[in-house]
């Protein structure tokens, strides 16, 4: 399956390169009389493609957090491949991930600050949200699950002192590091668009049914989920059936294929969207690959009814609370990969475009 995904990725890349080469020859050729009479395709939206999206401050928070989570995931897998983390010691693995997430708060602040400066919405409120929005959501779910454990008098309940220690690490270490990274990001030069943005927004024509957001987002997310589908079974079995997960080398390969798939499917869908003269690609590029988190949660429901034998209400509540959080995190990571790939793709093609 992985070989098929790699082959499919190569074919998609070749088709995209041929299509772009044809577009550049058509748009940049001064002797092309047909193109001079009537512009068509993604060239027509060059004055709006870099227009600031709605809720841009929320988008900066998600991309900053996604960069932080992506860095944590990559470094954790590298450490596991090198033998520094043992799968038999799950406590050590979780501790390493937690420390990496805290230390990479500076990177989240840096990325969020660069985007805020690009969208002309730079303020410290956005940076504060970057350091508190996602960790606050995780802490809320974790605290609710722990309340259930306390009510059940379970030995796995986290002591109140440990909870306060986590809050101390969050507020005392991670959040200040986010602001440190933001200070560095705000001092960097602004990321200017390669083309001028028009003052008046262009009218967006009626989109065909298969290019509408709800359809493209849900359907496109199947491919990134499919890239990690086989490995998800073993990861869920490790989490819920007390089995050990040793094949970190194969996991690293799956993560590479997942990243390539997220990038390619998002680039292809954004390209088609621009060809249909819809320049609202910022949020859509995040949701296209990020919708794989929806498919992950749907798979967790299937896994629950076919593999697990949980019948008690609170056990079911704990399972779905954790899987909802895991799916949400997975959506942020894959959405960030798709957004970053689309961002560099759109900047590159419009930088090569000759605009009168």
């Amino acid at each position: 399956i992985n070989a098929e995904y790699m082959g499919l990725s190569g074919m998609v890349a070749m088709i995209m390169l041929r299509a772009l080469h044809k577009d550049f020859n058509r748009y940049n050729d001064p002797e092309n009389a047909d193109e001079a009479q009537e512009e068509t395709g993604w060239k027509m939206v060059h004055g709006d493609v870099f227009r600031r999206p709605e809720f841009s401050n929320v988008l900066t928070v998600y991309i900053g957090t996604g960069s932080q989570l992506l860095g944590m995931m990559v470094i954790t897998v590298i450490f596991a491949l090198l033998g520094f983390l043992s799968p038999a010691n799950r406590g050590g693995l979780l501790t390493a991930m937690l420390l990496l997430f805290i230390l990479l708060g500076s990177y989240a602040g840096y990325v969020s600050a660069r985007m805020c400066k690009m969208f002309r919405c730079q303020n410290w409120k956005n940076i504060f949200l970057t350091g508190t929005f996602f960790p606050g959501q995780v802490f809320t779910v974790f605290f609710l699950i722990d309340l259930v454990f306390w009510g059940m008098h379970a030995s796995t309940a986290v002591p109140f002192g440990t909870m306060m220690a986590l809050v101390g690490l969050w507020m005392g270490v991670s959040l200040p590091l986010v602001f440190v990274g933001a200070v560095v990001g705000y001092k960097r030069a602004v990321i200017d668009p390669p083309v001028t943005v028009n003052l008046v927004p262009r009218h967006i024509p009626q989109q065909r049914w298969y290019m509408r957001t709800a359809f493209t987002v849900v359907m496109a997310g199947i491919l990134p989920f499919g890239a990690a589908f086989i490995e998800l079974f073993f990861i869920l079995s490790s989490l819920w059936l007390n089995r050990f997960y040793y094949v970190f080398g194969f996991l690293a390969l799956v993560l590479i294929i997942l990243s390539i798939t997220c990038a390619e499917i998002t680039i292809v869908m954004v390209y088609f969207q621009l060809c249909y003269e819809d320049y609202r690609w910022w949020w859509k590029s995040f949701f296209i690959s990020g919708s794989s988190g929806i498919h992950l949660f749907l798979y967790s429901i299937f896994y629950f009814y076919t593999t697990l034998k949980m019948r008690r209400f609170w056990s079911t509540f704990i399972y779905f609370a954790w899987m909802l959080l895991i799916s949400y995190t997975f959506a942020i990571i894959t959405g960030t990969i798709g957004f970053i790939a689309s961002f560099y793709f759109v900047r590159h093609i419009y930088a090569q475009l000759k605009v009168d």
Side-chain angles (χ1 to χ4, degrees):
I1 293 178
N2 290 332
E4 292 176 357
Y5 262 92
M6 291 296 290
L8 180 62
S9 299
M11 290 176 59
V12 171
M14 291 295 296
I15 294 172
M16 279 298 302
L17 288 174
R18 287 175 61 88
L20 286 172
H21 182 70
K22 182 179 179 181
D23 288 343
F24 284 131
N25 288 337
R26 182 160 56 99
Y27 291 150
N28 295 336
D29 186 3
E31 299 180 358
N32 193 334
D34 295 335
E35 184 60 32
Q37 292 178 359
E38 182 181 1
E39 293 182 353
T40 58
W42 52 268
K43 182 180 180 180
M44 297 186 68
V45 295
H46 66 84
D48 297 273
V49 71
F50 292 102
R51 187 176 302 281
R52 175 180 168 180
E54 295 182 347
F55 308 107
S56 56
N57 55 334
V58 181
L59 182 60
T60 61
V61 171
Y62 271 116
I63 301 304
T65 302
S67 302
Q68 183 181 12
L69 291 169
L70 183 60
M72 177 198 71
M73 181 181 66
V74 171
I75 296 175
T76 300
V77 172
I78 292 175
F79 281 178
L81 284 174
L82 296 176
F84 294 116
L85 298 174
S86 172
N89 185 8
R90 296 183 180 179
L93 184 63
L94 291 175
T95 301
M97 294 177 66
L98 177 62
L99 291 176
L100 285 171
F101 181 81
I102 291 173
L103 294 176
L104 287 171
S106 56
Y107 185 58
Y110 174 82
V111 173
S112 184
R114 294 299 304 277
M115 290 197 61
C116 285
K117 200 169 183 179
M118 179 180 66
F119 289 140
R120 305 295 193 273
C121 62
Q122 59 184 94
N123 57 68
W124 295 108
K125 179 182 177 181
N126 289 346
I127 305 305
F128 179 78
L129 285 175
T130 302
T132 58
F133 186 66
F134 177 76
Q137 293 171 326
V138 173
F139 182 79
T140 299
V141 174
F142 182 69
F143 183 70
L144 290 175
I145 293 174
D146 213 46
L147 284 178
V148 175
F149 283 137
W150 286 343
M152 297 170 61
H153 303 286
S155 59
T156 52
V158 178
F160 183 77
T162 304
M163 297 284 286
M164 291 299 100
L166 291 174
V167 173
L169 286 173
W170 172 21
M171 294 296 179
V173 181
S174 180
L175 187 59
L177 285 175
V178 172
F179 278 94
V180 170
V183 170
V184 178
Y186 279 147
K187 289 183 178 179
R188 295 292 299 273
V190 65
I191 304 175
D192 291 319
V195 290
T196 305
V197 179
N198 295 335
L199 295 177
V200 180
R202 178 186 176 86
H203 172 71
I204 300 174
Q206 180 84 22
Q207 298 296 303
R208 299 184 181 182
W209 64 269
Y210 52 82
M211 290 303 299
R212 292 177 181 172
T213 301
F215 181 80
T216 56
V217 165
V218 174
M219 295 304 294
I222 296 176
L223 288 177
F225 169 76
F229 170 73
I230 301 299
E231 204 66 14
L232 284 174
F233 176 81
F234 298 104
I235 294 175
L236 292 180
S237 298
S238 174
L239 289 173
W240 300 107
L241 296 178
N242 294 319
R243 297 175 182 173
F244 293 112
Y245 187 87
Y246 288 99
V247 285
F248 285 105
F250 191 72
L251 177 62
L253 177 62
V254 170
L255 290 178
I256 293 173
I257 296 174
L258 174 65
S259 300
I260 295 174
T261 306
C262 287
E264 285 197 346
I265 188 62
T266 309
I267 287 173
V268 169
M269 296 309 299
V270 167
Y271 173 76
F272 285 145
Q273 178 178 337
L274 295 177
C275 287
Y276 281 97
E277 302 174 29
D278 185 355
Y279 52 82
R280 300 168 299 182
W281 64 274
W282 297 97
W283 274 107
K284 197 169 183 179
S285 65
F286 180 80
F287 287 135
I288 285 173
S289 54
S291 64
S292 57
I294 299 175
H295 299 287
L296 172 58
F297 186 73
L298 293 176
Y299 175 74
S300 70
I301 298 175
F302 172 80
Y303 182 84
F304 176 82
Y305 285 106
T306 58
T307 306
L308 301 181
K309 297 180 180 180
M310 296 182 183
R311 297 295 178 262
R312 298 178 60 184
F313 171 78
W314 290 116
S315 299
T316 304
F317 171 80
I318 292 170
Y319 171 81
F320 282 109
W322 274 120
M323 289 310 304
L324 181 63
L325 184 60
I326 292 172
S327 302
Y328 178 56
T329 304
F330 185 72
I332 295 176
I333 293 174
T334 53
T336 301
I337 295 173
F339 176 86
I340 293 174
S342 299
F343 177 72
Y344 283 105
F345 168 76
V346 174
R347 282 186 61 86
H348 178 74
I349 63 173
Y350 282 97
Q352 305 300 319
L353 188 65
K354 294 180 181 179
V355 181
D356 297 331

